[in-house]
Amino acid sequence: MEYRHGRMGNGLLRPLLLSSSQSMDKGVYILLVQNDECQIRVGASGKRIFSAGWHAYVGSALGAGGFARVMRHFRLNSEKDRRPCWHIDSLLISPCFQVTGAYCIHTQERIECHIAHQMTGDVITGFGSSDCSCKGHLFYYPYDPTGELLHLIHSLSRQGTIHGVDFRSPYPAGMNGLQGHIICIYKADTNQSSFERGPQDDQSCN
């Protein structure tokens, strides 16, 4: 199993995809966004105030399109070309929110609620949880939560419920901007996980 990753920067959308050897492109994802303080209308709940910092959204990509849903999030955040349909869309079309990436957790099990219960950020009550009993699926952090998310992913890999993990960026490699973003690689065939800091240039990790 092979993953590709690269640095983050400004530019057109380009996913960092799994190699063709990986057949399953479905599972659960954690979408990471950074934002300024703002007030946004979210569905029927009305206007909400979002503190400046970071928000992590736990979503399911077990449907027919799989992780294409993540790419739709990336595009909507970039193009802002349609009205919101889901709670997360309200953030993605706001100029105050910028997607920084997504952790795509490859699994056939519906573990999004299990992951939501283990998130360490402050839960945004009622956000993204209209179809489950969770308090919410959006979590606020006043700091970059990458380290905490990696620890959570590492824990999931030890539980044996996931097939692999890759970090996908909405930015192409080779552009200026955030560089050397921490990524997580988990290989189910060896049952081992490793945490690495992405290099300056796009390359393969075996």
Side-chain angles (χ1 to χ4, degrees), residues 1-201:
M1 186 182 302
E2 179 183 65
Y3 297 100
R4 295 185 64 79
H5 64 277
R7 63 179 177 174
M8 299 169 63
N10 297 320
L12 299 176
L13 302 176
R14 186 180 71 86
L16 301 183
L17 297 174
L18 290 169
S19 69
S20 58
S21 63
Q22 175 64 21
S23 60
M24 190 184 75
D25 202 32
K26 297 182 180 181
V28 177
Y29 61 92
I30 303 175
L31 184 72
L32 191 58
V33 297
Q34 188 174 14
N35 66 283
D36 299 322
E37 182 176 355
C38 57
Q39 186 178 68
I40 296 175
R41 180 176 297 278
V42 179
S45 61
K47 291 186 177 180
R48 293 193 176 197
I49 297 176
F50 293 88
S51 299
W54 300 74
H55 285 80
Y57 174 75
V58 181
S60 173
L62 287 170
F67 288 122
R69 175 171 293 187
V70 173
M71 291 307 303
R72 288 196 294 270
H73 290 334
F74 288 175
R75 293 189 188 99
L76 181 58
N77 188 233
S78 174
E79 300 172 6
K80 308 184 190 304
D81 57 352
R82 61 183 173 86
R83 299 180 63 182
C85 180
W86 307 102
H87 285 175
I88 187 62
D89 293 347
S90 299
L91 306 189
L92 298 178
I93 64 173
S94 168
C96 297
F97 282 80
Q98 178 62 53
V99 172
T100 62
Y103 293 91
C104 296
I105 303 167
H106 298 257
T107 180
Q108 295 175 321
E109 300 184 30
R110 295 190 175 280
I111 59 173
E112 62 268 24
C113 292
H114 173 68
I115 293 176
H117 291 156
Q118 297 188 58
M119 296 289 284
T120 55
D122 295 332
V123 63
I124 307 301
T125 303
F127 193 105
S129 58
S130 58
D131 59 349
C132 67
S133 60
C134 297
K135 290 184 177 180
H137 275 230
L138 182 70
F139 302 85
Y140 168 71
Y141 299 83
Y143 49 83
D144 183 348
T146 295
E148 295 181 21
L149 296 181
L150 289 176
H151 281 294
L152 171 57
I153 291 170
H154 183 66
S155 175
L156 291 172
S157 71
R158 290 182 176 275
Q159 295 172 22
T161 58
I162 64 177
H163 300 280
V165 179
D166 70 284
F167 178 85
R168 303 191 187 190
S169 168
Y171 309 107
M175 304 293 292
N176 294 328
L178 298 175
Q179 300 177 356
H181 193 88
I182 297 175
I183 63 170
C184 171
I185 300 172
Y186 170 65
K187 300 181 179 181
D189 52 351
T190 62
N191 198 31
Q192 294 180 349
S193 57
S194 63
F195 302 96
E196 301 181 6
R197 180 172 292 276
Q200 296 297 316
D201 298 314

